[in-house]
Amino acid sequence: CYLVRYCSVKCQREHRPQHKKACKKRAAELHDEKLFRQPESSHFGDCPICLIPLSLDRSRRNMLNCCSNIVCDGCSYANDLRQLEERLESTCPFCRQSTSDTNEEAEQRQMKRVQVNDPVAIREFGLARYYEQDYTRAFENLTKAVELGDVTAHFTLSSMYRAGQGVAENKKKEIY
């Protein structure tokens, strides 16, 4: 422990029984602080509404197809609750645009965002193709999202190179 300075090794040995309990307690506190500290942010950034870091768990965040923002479930839930209580039309919690009634309308909105080179929309479109196992179209869209600076798309491309999904297996490109 370096919390206390001693004039000699002899003094340190004499003081050890008194200092040992305090030192162990402080070490446990430091361990707990490191263990339970919340991360400052994730690579997804913060929720644009509440500014809390977005969860790494995909099921705890939502991408809004109208504005391509990703918000936490808490903000989506609070917006839905407010709309129910006040009997309002269903709108996006961020841009307040009315939500899509059908899947076709949602896809059209997402395609508009893809056409204006929105990296989040392109990545989500590519990921949808990836999960459908249409690796060729997934590769095209994810490559475009990477060129626009999307980190998650970059990771998925790396996985595709590692597994040889839609592209030739390539360890150098996997790492790059």
Side-chain angles (χ1 to χ4, degrees), residues 20-130:
K20 188 175 181 180
K21 285 183 184 177
C23 185
K24 281 190 175 185
K25 182 179 175 189
R26 181 63 186 143
E29 289 171 359
L30 288 173
H31 176 72
D32 287 348
E33 286 175 18
K34 287 180 184 176
L35 186 63
F36 295 110
R37 183 178 345 159
Q38 291 294 317
E40 290 183 25
S41 191
S42 72
H43 64 282
F44 292 111
D46 299 334
C47 173
I49 299 171
C50 66
L51 304 177
I52 293 175
L54 289 168
S55 174
L56 297 176
D57 181 3
R58 191 178 182 128
S59 68
R60 298 187 68 197
R61 54 187 156 79
N62 302 312
M63 196 212 66
L64 310 168
N65 58 21
C66 50
C67 57
S68 289
N69 279 304
I70 299 175
V71 298
C72 66
D73 271 355
C75 290
S76 290
Y77 177 74
N79 185 55
D80 291 345
L81 196 61
R82 179 186 64 83
Q83 291 168 354
L84 283 173
E85 288 173 351
E86 298 175 15
R87 293 186 170 86
L88 299 172
E89 178 186 354
S90 180
T91 60
C92 169
F94 185 78
C95 69
R96 301 290 185 215
Q97 186 176 355
S98 62
T99 56
S100 310
D101 293 330
T102 64
N103 285 340
E104 294 162 358
E105 189 179 343
E107 287 176 14
Q108 286 176 346
R109 285 184 179 183
Q110 185 179 22
M111 288 309 297
K112 280 184 184 177
R113 301 298 305 174
V114 167
Q115 290 168 354
V116 295
N117 286 334
D118 183 336
V120 174
I122 295 169
R123 176 195 69 219
E124 292 298 318
F125 187 73
L127 286 174
R129 302 297 82 70
Y130 179 81

